[in-house]
Amino acid sequence: MADLASTTAEPPVDPANWTCPAPLRDQPVVVMGHGGGGALSAELVRDVFAAAYGNPVLDALGDCAVLRLGGARLAFSTDSYVVRPLFFPGGSLGDLAVNGTVNDLAMSGARPAYLSAAFVLEEGVELTVVDRVARAMGAAAKAAGVTVATGDTKVVEAGHGDGVYVTTAGVGLIPEGVDIRPQRARPGDAVIVSGPIGLHGVAVMSVREGLEFGVEIASDTAPLADLVAAMLAVTPDIHVLRDPTRGGLAASLNEIARASGTGVRLRERAIPVPEAVANACGFLGLDPLYVANEGRLVAFVPPEQAEAVLEAMRAHPQGSGAALIGECVADHPGTVVVETGLGGTRVVDLPLGEQLPRIC
């Protein structure tokens, strides 16, 4: 342990330098891993999109953009949803299309207000399916306290889509005095997760592959703006919030560590992984830290406020399972490590591509 700082302070190992029978990142075409929320996704954004239309607002690369407009601070976000199957235990494409964008806005401390909804429909899809997705979106919007104010619909020929794709964009207002972004992580910050992880990814995979684990595993999809408001009522000085969707908790923590130039140290036994998720991941050969969530957040909170924030989270339905799982450290900047249950330490790197395709 004494040598940890010296051994992990080096830049993360670059998978592009590995020797492998198949190329990893030297890809002339788009591969599924480019959408997995890991290193391939980050490179696509950096080398293609940011290079094409990068600007100071976009360069922050947060869950949403923070804008000044007419004297107000606005949060603005957009996301596309291509989950398969469209309906799964605990949720559906419609729920994700609302909650995902609402939660991206909430991760800046904003109170979400309005959404747009764009549908791409494949010729031949049953209208009852489209109606079911739309009704799920309406119910989710009502529960989240937002209005679907505008939208668009396109239809593509049979064989050129996958039933239903949905893109939502949203805006919300950020309270004055709130400054939440990954660059604000500081050594000493407590790292808190709002509840058990891995439920969404395993729920979708179980239905897609027809797997039985002895108990139904339901997605955790839920809006988080009210939970964030309860946290901000304790202190407006929350440093970082992220919802660990694609790439899971591991990807979110790596992104925060690299953006802030700090390290993150986790305690494996403190991370809430439901037994059913742990068993399913063991069966599938997955690490729960990399499995997507759709109703969880991870927070970096000043240490003197951690207990009060944790208490407020646990008093809220969406944070009843909140847990203190680690801390932000000055050692090994840009790297996440976890203390295992056996007393060892392992590095939790940014995933290269994806473990579970098409889960959000």
Side-chain angles (χ1 to χ4, degrees):
M1 294 292 293
D3 295 332
L4 181 61
S6 63
T7 58
T8 59
E10 298 293 329
V13 174
D14 188 349
N17 295 326
W18 293 349
T19 300
C20 181
L24 292 175
R25 292 193 283 178
D26 185 18
Q27 294 285 353
V29 298
V30 173
V31 297
M32 289 301 295
H34 282 115
L40 288 174
S41 294
E43 290 183 356
L44 179 66
V45 170
R46 183 192 68 211
D47 298 338
V48 177
F49 301 122
Y53 42 77
N55 54 73
V57 176
L58 180 65
D59 289 346
L61 293 179
D63 279 335
C64 65
V66 177
L67 313 170
R68 281 279 183 184
L69 189 64
R73 291 178 72 216
L74 295 180
F76 176 44
S77 184
T78 187
D79 209 340
S80 296
Y81 300 88
V82 294
V83 66
R84 180 170 54 84
L86 299 178
F87 308 97
F88 45 83
S92 69
L93 174 67
D95 298 280
L96 295 185
V98 171
N99 293 337
T101 296
V102 163
N103 292 346
D104 281 347
L105 297 171
M107 295 307 103
S108 69
R111 170 57 69 177
Y114 296 98
L115 299 181
S116 68
F119 281 73
V120 176
L121 308 177
E122 183 183 16
E123 181 185 25
V125 68
E126 295 180 2
L127 285 176
T128 55
V129 171
V130 180
D131 179 70
R132 188 177 171 189
V133 171
R135 288 181 181 275
M137 289 182 65
K142 183 176 181 180
V146 297
T147 299
V148 179
T150 187
D152 184 47
T153 305
K154 295 292 188 295
V155 177
V156 298
E157 297 90 344
H160 290 262
D162 195 10
V164 183
Y165 296 153
V166 179
T167 296
T168 52
V171 294
L173 285 173
I174 303 174
E176 289 298 329
V178 173
D179 182 15
I180 299 175
R181 48 193 170 90
Q183 294 81 3
R184 291 199 67 216
R186 298 287 184 271
D189 281 355
V191 179
I192 299 172
V193 68
S194 63
I197 65 170
L199 290 164
H200 175 72
V202 173
V204 172
M205 180 60 74
S206 66
V207 175
R208 180 186 301 157
E209 303 300 332
L211 301 175
E212 297 284 347
F213 299 112
V215 60
E216 183 179 76
I217 301 174
S219 171
D220 57 7
T221 179
L224 297 173
D226 285 345
L227 174 61
V228 171
M231 297 165 67
L232 290 172
V234 174
T235 175
D237 192 31
I238 293 173
H239 290 167
V240 187
L241 292 172
R242 272 293 174 95
D243 57 333
T245 52
R246 292 182 304 170
L249 187 62
S252 292
L253 292 176
N254 271 279
E255 290 166 0
I256 294 167
R258 296 179 185 190
S260 61
T262 62
V264 176
R265 186 184 300 274
L266 305 176
R267 291 179 291 278
E268 187 173 59
R269 288 182 174 175
I271 301 171
V273 179
E275 183 179 0
V277 169
N279 292 340
C281 287
F283 176 78
L284 296 169
L286 305 175
D287 184 338
L289 292 177
Y290 293 91
V291 176
N293 312 271
E294 287 292 344
R296 299 288 180 253
L297 64 79
V298 59
F300 282 55
V301 179
E304 64 274 13
Q305 301 286 351
E307 285 301 323
V309 170
L310 193 58
E311 182 179 352
M313 294 174 72
R314 288 172 174 167
H316 190 280
Q318 298 304 332
S320 59
L324 176 63
I325 61 172
E327 55 275 336
C328 186
V329 298
D331 296 336
H332 48 83
T335 302
V336 180
V337 302
V338 59
E339 298 173 357
T340 69
L342 298 177
T345 302
R346 65 182 176 95
V347 174
V348 179
D349 204 357
L350 188 69
L352 179 64
E354 62 182 354
Q355 287 195 110
L356 299 175
R358 300 285 303 277
I359 54 178
C360 59

